[in-house]
C-alpha cells in the first residue's frame, strides 16, 4: 500500500476557516510547515512553527503577491520521485527539502464573478500558484498527498488520525482525483468567463454539487441532479424531489414566469393541464383546476403569489406532488404540511441560465432558451376581420401557454383561463381534435375561446375544424407557403387570424 508518513507540509489557502483541526494535528505529529503571507500569519496565531517560503527559496513574494510559490525549491520538493535515484541526487544537490502534503484553497474566482466585480478584480482572482501546486501534487500522488479544498479538511483529519499521520497510495490517489476535479472545474469557469462572447466554440460544463436521486425517469434507471437547488428553492415540506418532479418543476417555473398578474398553473409531464389568472389566488387556482380536474391529480402546481388560507383549503382537497410559490402564510403552510410527503417549495428570485444543453446521439446540443413571448404589439392581423379587444387578450394568454406545451400543440383559452390543449401529437389536426374533444368532455363553450398554435398551418383544415367548433379567433406564427388558404377560409367565415412570425416548437 506504500504508506507514507507526512513529515512536511506546504499550506497556502485563501479562506482560513475550518483549518484549525488540521493544523493542530500536524503540530502533534511534528510536521514541518511551509507557508506564505496571510496563511503563515494565521498558522502562527494557531501556535504552529512555520518556515516562510521566502526563506526556503531565498526569493521574496513579488508583483503584489502574484509570484510566491513558483520556484524550483517548492515544486522540486513536491514533484521529485522518491524512488528515482536521479531525482534524489538532484534534490540533494540543490538542497530541496521534500514536501509530503500540500494544502491549497484557491482564490474565489466563481464567487468574484457572481458578485458583479470589475474585470480587473475578477482577473486578480485567477489563481496561478495555487492551481500549479494542486496539479503538481496530484501528479505526484505516488509520494504526495494533495488537499485541494477546505471541503476536504474534515476528511483528511479523520484519515490522518486513523493512520497515525500517514497515508496509503489508495488514499493519495483518491485525493489526487478530487484535486483534478477542483482544477478542471476552476479552469472551466475561467474559460467560460473569458469566452463570454462565444468566439471559441467549445462546450464546457462543470458542476461540483450533486444530489443522488431515488432513481431516474423509471425505477430501473439511476439518476443524479447536478446543481444547487437550495439557491432556487427552500423546501418547506415533503420527500426528496424525484427525477420526474424536477423535470416538471423546471417546466412549471418556465411557464409561471410568463405571468405578472396572479396566476396558477397545474402541470403533468411538463404540459399544463390547467392554467388561469384571477383576482385572488383562490380564483386562479379553481379556474386552473376546472380545466382538467382529472389530470390535475398528482400534478405539479405553481403559483406566483403568496399561498393564503383561502387557496390552501382548496389545494388541500387535491392530491398533488409539488407546490411552488414565492411564499406561504403561516396558517396555510401548517394546513398543507398535514400531508407529510407533499413537497412544498418556496421559490427564490434568482437569474436562471439562458442556455439549454442536452445529450444527443454521441454528443450534445446547446441552444438559447426560448425567451420570446409575444404581446398584442407583435400581432399582425392577416384577415379582414380584426380580433376584438377581448380576443386579443385571450390570444396573448393562449400563446403563452402554447409556447410551453409539447409540439405539435393547440391551446384553447379565454383571456383568463386555458380550457384545453392537444399536446405532443404527430399532426396539428390531431392536436386540435384532441383539444376540442377534451374541452367538450368538461362541458366548455368553445365559442368563448380562441385558438393558439405553436407552428404554422400547412393546410386550412385546422381553421375549418376550429370554425365548426365555434372558435372565431386564431394566433399562429405564419410562414406556410399555403398561409393564404387558411386566411381565405377565415375571411369567408368571419374569423380573425393574427400571425406573430415566431414559431415555438417544443420537443
Amino acid at each position: 500500500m506504500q504508506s507514507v508518513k507526512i513529515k512536511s507540509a506546504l499550506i497556502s489557502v485563501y479562506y482560513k476557516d475550518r483549518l484549525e483541526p488540521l493544523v493542530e494535528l500536524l503540530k502533534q505529529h511534528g510536521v514541518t510547515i511551509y507557508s506564505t503571507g496571510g496563511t503563515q500569519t494565521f498558522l502562527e496565531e494557531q501556535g504552529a512553527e512555520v518556515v516562510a517560503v521566502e526563506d526556503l527559496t531565498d526569493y521574496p513574494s513579488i508583483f503584489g503577491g502574484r509570484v510566491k510559490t513558483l520556484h524550483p525549491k517548492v515544486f522540486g520538493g513536491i514533484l521529485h520521485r522518491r524512488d528515482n535515484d536521479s531525482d534524489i541526487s538532484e534534490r540533494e544537490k540543490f538542497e530541496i527539502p521534500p514536501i509530503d502534503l500540500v494544502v491549497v484553497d484557491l482564490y474565489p474566482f466563481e464567487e468574484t464573478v457572481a458578485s458583479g466585480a470589475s474585470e480587473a478584480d475578477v482577473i486578480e482572482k485567477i489563481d496561478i500558484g495555487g492551481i500549479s501546486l494542486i496539479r503538481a501534487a496530484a501528479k505526484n500522488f505516488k509520494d504526495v498527498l494533495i488537499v485541494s479544498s477546505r471541503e476536504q479538511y474534515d476528511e483528511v483529519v479523520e484519515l490522518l488520525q486513523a493512520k497515525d499521520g500517514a497515508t496509503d497510495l489508495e488514499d493519495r490517489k483518491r485525493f489526487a482525483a478530487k484535486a483534478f476535479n477542483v482544477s478542471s472545474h476552476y479552469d472551466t469557469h475561467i474559460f467560460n468567463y473569458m469566452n463570454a462572447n462565444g468566439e471559441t466554440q467549445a462546450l464546457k460544463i462543470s458542476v461540483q454539487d450533486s444530489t443522488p436521486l431515488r432513481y431516474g425517469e423509471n425505477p430501473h434507471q439511476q439518476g443524479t441532479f447536478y446543481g444547487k437547488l437550495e439557491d432556487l428553492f427552500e423546501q418547506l415540506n415533503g420527500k426528496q424531489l424525484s427525477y420526474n418532479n424536477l423535470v416538471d418543476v423546471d417546466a412549471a417555473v418556465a411557464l409561471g414566469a410568463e405571468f405578472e398578474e396572479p396566476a396558477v398553473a397545474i402541470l403533468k409531464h411538463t404540459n399544463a393541464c390547467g392554467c388561469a389568472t384571477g383576482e385572488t389566488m383562490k380564483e386562479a387556482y379553481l379556474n386552473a383546476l376546472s380545466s382538467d380536474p382529472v389530470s390535475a391529480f398528482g400534478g405539479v402546481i405553481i403559483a406566483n403569489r403568496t399561498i393564503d388560507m383561502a387557496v390552501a383549503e382548496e389545494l388541500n382537497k387535491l392530491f398533488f406532488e409539488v407546490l411552488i410559490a414565492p411564499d406561504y402564510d403561516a396558517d396555510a403552510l401548517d394546513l398543507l404540511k398535514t400531508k407529510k410527503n407533499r413537497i412544498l417549495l418556496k421559490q427564490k428570485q434568482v437569474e436562471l441560465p439562458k442556455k439549454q444543453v442536452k445529450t444527443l446521439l454521441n454528443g450534445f446540443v446547446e441552444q438559447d432558451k426560448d425567451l420570446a413571448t409575444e404581446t398584442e404589439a407583435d400581432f399582425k392581423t392577416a384577415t379582414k376581420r380584426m380580433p376584438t379587444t377581448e380576443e386579443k387578450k385571450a390570444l396573448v394568454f393562449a400563446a403563452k401557454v402554447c409556447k410551453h406545451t409539447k409540439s405539435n400543440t393547440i391551446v384553447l383559452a379565454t383571456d383568463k383561463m386555458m380550457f384545453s390543449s392537444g399536446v405532443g401529437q404527430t399532426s396539428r389536426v390531431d392536436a386540435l381534435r384532441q383539444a376540442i374533444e377534451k374541452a367538450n368532455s368538461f362541458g366548455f363553450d368553445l365559442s368563448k375561446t380562441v385558438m393558439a398554435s405553436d407552428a404554422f398551418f400547412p393546410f386550412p383544415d385546422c381553421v375549418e375544424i376550429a370554425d365548426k367548433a365555434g372558435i372565431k379567433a386564431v394566433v399562429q406564427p405564419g410562414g406556410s407557403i399555403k398561409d393564404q388558404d387558411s386566411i381565405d377560409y377565415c375571411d369567408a367565415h368571419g374569423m380573425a387570424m393574427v400571425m406573430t412570425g415566431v414559431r415555438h416548437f417544443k420537443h
Side-chain angles (χ1 to χ4, degrees):
M1 294 297 288
Q2 198 175 335
S3 178
V4 173
K5 185 83 170 180
I6 293 175
K7 298 177 181 178
S8 58
L10 172 64
I11 305 178
S12 179
V13 297
Y14 184 85
Y15 292 113
K16 315 299 188 290
D17 58 301
R18 298 156 65 175
L19 190 58
E20 294 92 336
L22 178 56
V23 175
E24 186 60 34
L25 187 61
L26 296 179
K27 286 163 50 182
Q28 291 172 11
H29 285 273
V31 174
T32 300
I33 299 176
Y34 301 93
S35 191
T36 62
T39 304
Q40 179 182 344
T41 301
F42 173 81
L43 295 173
E44 289 173 339
E45 289 172 351
Q46 301 302 308
E49 293 185 14
V50 181
V51 178
V53 166
E54 289 89 340
D55 294 337
L56 170 65
T57 63
D58 265 344
Y59 225 95
S61 172
I62 58 176
F63 308 132
R66 281 189 164 197
V67 179
K68 297 191 287 283
T69 57
L70 297 169
H71 193 279
K73 280 203 170 181
V74 174
F75 281 85
I78 296 168
L79 281 166
H80 77 275
R81 291 159 290 189
R82 276 64 164 175
D83 60 354
N84 183 291
D85 291 341
S86 177
D87 284 9
I88 293 170
S89 176
E90 285 187 274
R91 181 186 71 75
E92 292 173 348
K93 176 182 178 181
F94 294 109
E95 298 180 337
I96 298 173
I99 296 174
D100 306 315
L101 167 66
V102 175
V103 181
V104 175
D105 182 49
L106 296 170
Y107 292 164
F109 179 83
E110 281 183 79
E111 295 90 331
T112 304
V113 172
S115 73
S118 68
E119 182 177 278
D121 288 338
V122 169
I123 297 304
E124 284 308 309
K125 290 300 185 293
I126 297 177
D127 205 317
I128 302 301
I131 208 78
S132 301
L133 290 169
I134 286 174
R135 291 178 62 83
K139 176 176 180 175
N140 202 27
F141 69 86
K142 187 176 179 182
D143 302 305
V144 180
L145 175 66
I146 172 64
V147 179
S148 52
S149 166
R150 58 180 170 164
E151 302 301 323
Q152 300 166 19
Y153 293 168
D154 291 344
E155 183 181 356
V156 79
V157 166
E158 290 179 10
L159 173 66
L160 296 179
Q161 286 175 334
K163 298 188 177 180
D164 194 29
T167 61
D168 296 332
L169 181 59
E170 182 181 335
D171 303 321
R172 297 191 295 277
K173 190 171 184 178
R174 186 175 76 255
F175 275 88
K178 292 175 183 284
F180 284 118
N181 180 35
V182 168
S183 65
S184 63
H185 176 81
Y186 198 75
D187 284 343
T188 293
H189 283 272
I190 294 172
F191 168 77
N192 287 334
Y193 175 81
M194 301 294 286
N195 193 50
N197 61 4
E199 186 173 332
T200 300
Q201 287 293 308
L203 175 63
K204 294 185 184 294
I205 300 172
S206 180
V207 182
Q208 300 280 47
D209 300 278
S210 64
T211 303
L213 303 173
R214 297 194 300 275
Y215 50 81
E217 202 162 9
N218 298 291
H220 63 278
Q221 297 169 266
Q222 292 185 335
T224 304
F225 175 78
Y226 291 92
K228 293 183 177 180
L229 278 176
E230 64 271 18
D231 287 351
L232 182 58
F233 300 114
E234 178 184 354
Q235 184 163 345
L236 305 176
N237 191 69
K239 58 189 177 182
Q240 180 194 21
L241 285 157
S242 69
Y243 180 99
N244 291 330
N245 289 156
L246 289 167
V247 174
D248 284 331
V249 166
D250 176 71
V253 167
L255 177 56
E258 297 285 358
F259 299 96
E260 295 182 3
E261 63 272 44
V264 172
I266 308 171
L267 289 87
K268 288 289 288 293
H269 302 288
T270 76
N271 295 305
C273 57
C275 184
T277 61
E279 295 298 320
T280 66
M281 294 312 293
K282 178 180 177 179
E283 179 187 354
Y285 167 69
L286 290 176
N287 284 341
L289 180 64
S290 68
S291 298
D292 186 350
V294 175
S295 296
F297 182 87
V300 169
I301 304 174
I302 187 164
N304 65 355
R305 295 290 193 279
T306 298
I307 299 296
D308 57 27
M309 191 60 172
V311 68
E313 288 175 337
E314 297 298 333
L315 284 162
N316 201 47
K317 299 174 184 176
L318 177 71
F319 168 73
F320 59 86
E321 288 277 348
V322 184
L323 173 62
I324 310 160
D327 209 348
Y328 299 77
D329 285 344
D331 54 352
L333 184 60
D334 287 342
L335 175 62
L336 294 171
K337 279 185 172 181
T338 56
K339 303 289 177 63
K340 67 176 183 178
N341 287 330
R342 179 182 281 163
I343 300 169
L344 304 176
L345 301 178
K346 182 177 178 180
Q347 185 177 357
K348 304 174 186 177
Q349 293 304 308
V350 299
E351 186 175 356
L352 296 174
K354 292 182 172 58
K355 295 281 188 179
Q356 291 177 312
V357 179
K358 66 184 294 185
T359 57
L360 199 68
L361 300 175
N362 63 340
F364 302 83
V365 288
E366 179 194 60
Q367 68 168 355
D368 297 332
K369 280 188 177 179
D370 185 358
L371 300 177
T373 299
E374 290 71 58
T375 66
E376 290 183 29
D378 300 303
F379 291 167
K380 294 180 181 178
T381 303
T383 52
K384 294 176 182 177
R385 182 169 88 76
M386 298 280 291
T388 65
T389 299
E390 291 74 17
E391 285 173 336
K392 287 180 182 178
K393 292 178 181 178
L395 291 168
V396 168
F397 182 96
K400 286 180 178 179
V401 179
C402 190
K403 168 186 165 182
H404 294 275
T405 308
K406 291 284 187 183
S407 301
N408 288 311
T409 185
I410 294 289
V411 171
L412 308 180
T414 65
D415 64 330
K416 294 182 184 300
M417 173 183 166
M418 181 185 97
F419 276 33
S420 67
S421 62
V423 304
Q425 297 303 302
T426 51
S427 82
R428 204 155 300 282
V429 168
D430 285 345
L432 175 55
R433 285 175 173 156
Q434 182 189 60
I436 291 171
E437 181 179 350
K438 196 170 186 180
N440 286 337
S441 71
F442 290 111
F444 290 124
D445 179 1
L446 292 181
S447 66
K448 297 178 181 179
T449 68
V450 300
M451 175 172 74
S453 174
D454 62 323
F456 63 62
F457 300 124
F459 305 102
D461 43 11
C462 278
V463 291
E464 181 179 353
I465 294 168
D467 172 46
K468 291 178 179 177
I471 300 162
K472 294 299 181 183
V474 181
V475 58
Q476 59 128 329
S480 168
I481 59 173
K482 294 188 176 182
D483 274 345
Q484 194 59 49
D485 291 349
S486 294
I487 294 169
D488 290 343
Y489 183 92
C490 289
D491 284 340
H493 294 83
M495 297 177 70
M497 178 187 289
V498 300
M499 296 184 181
T500 64
V502 181
R503 187 184 73 185
H504 289 291
F505 273 162
K506 188 169 184 284
H507 287 90

